[in-house]
Amino acid sequence: MSRPRLFVTRKLPPDVETRAARDYDAVFNTGDNLPTRESIVAGAQEKDGLLVTVTDRIDADLIRALPESIRIISTFSVGYDHIDVAAARARGIAVTNTPDVLTDATAEIALLLMLGAARNATASIATLRSGNWRNWAPTGMLGTELTGKRLGILGLGRIGRATAQRARAFGMEIHYHNRSRLDAERERGAIYHDDIAGLFGVSDILSIHCASTPETRGLINRDTIAHLPEGAIIVNTARGDIVDDEALIEALAAGRLAAAGLDVFNNEPNIHPGYLNLSNAFLLPHLGSATLETRNAMGFRALDNLDAFFRGQSPRDLVEG
Ligand code: DGY
């Protein structure tokens, strides 16, 4: 029986590509060139499926331009805001993602961002590397501790809960807001707030873990930042477009917020230049899932979804949209 034909838009970890090459008639992006709309449409010709990543904007126009042969788009990511799922569904194309497998890696980065932001990592590292570290000083480079602080989690889903679990080990008190309250087993003592203002009002550190949706885009803005305590810290491992950059940069520059730890940005990789000169912004280049274990697991999960689909089964991670 002939193998399904697959176009893989980005270079994937070697073990993932080896498995894909074994089970699919696959075309890979060996040079890892950033795909354009045109190259995705060209690569999709005479293929049955696409394996894409968060850097591929699969909008309605692109979906319309795909050949009839494409029946599934499997994304190597938990987030699927880069795919117009409704447009795909309208064309009868299935969409799958990779939940669960990047939960721990992303929660670890959230803790790194909290620590880096709270302990002045950006300014301190710059002082050390520039040769300007003169001596240990009782009042020098002081940050704030996580211990005993209130951590507000916006979106207590899988990654939010994994972050809360780690934060409890630091002695933090966990608060959260979701559209609806979780059961006690998943709350594990976290304090529920039924609105944003209530959560933000008690968040010494606010960690963003909600998906990017029309409702959450721009949710961190001048009005909502005003609810945070003076000197609060914001951490974002979810999506850049949940934050209004101008509002956050203004609050950081004014010292209204003590610091921010950001792994995701609007318009990556061309991030708002205002962040670059802020010594209280601890910035990482979208590293949430960037470990070999996790990237392998994401690739295998994306392939599991394709395998199930081409066996005629319902893939485990079918996105409903
Ligand atoms: C995802 O999977 O959505 C991340 O942002 C990339 O690891």
Side-chain angles (χ1 to χ4, degrees), residues 141-159:
M141 301 190 230
L142 302 185
T144 185
E145 287 170 27
L146 301 187
T147 308
K149 296 293 184 321
R150 299 166 298 178
L151 172 64
I153 297 198
L154 186 60
L156 198 65
R158 282 178 293 256
I159 298 171

Side-chain angles (χ1 to χ4, degrees), residues 29-260:
N29 181 350
T30 46
D32 202 25
N33 302 310
L34 203 58
T36 60
R37 308 170 68 81
E38 294 70 29
S39 67
I40 295 173
V41 173
Q45 300 304 313
E46 296 175 16
K47 301 293 182 298
D48 303 301
L50 295 178
L51 203 168
V52 306
T53 78
V54 289
T55 56
D56 304 319
R57 184 131 303 281
I58 314 289
D59 59 20
D61 281 347
L62 191 146
I63 286 169
R64 268 192 293 277
L66 290 175
E68 288 295 322
S69 58
I70 293 290
R71 293 158 55 209
I72 179 168
I73 299 170
S74 172
T75 183
F76 178 93
S77 61
V78 62
Y80 48 85
D81 48 302
H82 54 295
I83 302 176
D84 189 326
V85 178
R89 186 179 310 116
R91 276 213 41 193
I93 298 172
V95 177
T96 61
N97 68 338
T98 61
D100 303 321
V101 291
L102 41 65
T103 299
D104 291 333
T106 309
E108 287 180 9
I109 285 285
L111 265 293
L112 174 62
L113 291 175
M114 274 180 225
L115 288 165
R119 300 300 291 271
N120 281 326
T122 300
S124 309
I125 292 169
T127 302
L128 181 79
R129 287 186 180 273
S130 64
N132 287 328
W133 183 33
R134 295 289 164 245
N135 51 52
W136 180 92
T139 56
M141 301 190 230
L142 302 185
T144 185
E145 287 170 27
L146 301 187
T147 308
K149 296 293 184 321
R150 299 166 298 178
L151 172 64
I153 297 198
L154 186 60
L156 198 65
R158 282 178 293 256
I159 298 171
R161 291 198 297 276
T163 302
Q165 181 190 353
R166 286 156 178 76
R168 284 186 192 98
F170 279 83
M172 302 183 84
E173 180 179 287
I174 314 297
H175 296 251
Y176 78 102
H177 169 71
N178 274 9
R179 265 177 308 196
S180 44
R181 187 170 175 174
L182 298 179
D183 56 42
E185 195 186 332
R186 284 184 295 172
E187 270 186 349
R188 297 197 49 209
I191 300 159
Y192 180 65
H193 299 264
D194 61 10
D195 64 10
I196 298 275
L199 176 72
F200 283 29
V202 297
S203 296
D204 299 314
I205 298 177
L206 177 75
S207 193
I208 303 168
H209 295 284
C210 53
S212 165
T213 65
E215 294 73 43
T216 63
R217 279 176 209 134
L219 190 60
I220 307 297
N221 55 43
R222 285 191 181 85
D223 293 342
T224 53
I225 287 173
H227 295 300
L228 288 164
E230 198 64 35
I233 292 172
I234 291 183
V235 162
N236 190 6
T237 52
R239 281 293 182 265
D241 61 7
I242 296 165
V243 172
D244 171 346
D245 289 330
E246 299 283 342
L248 179 55
I249 289 165
E250 185 180 288
L252 289 168
R256 167 69 180 82
L257 296 177

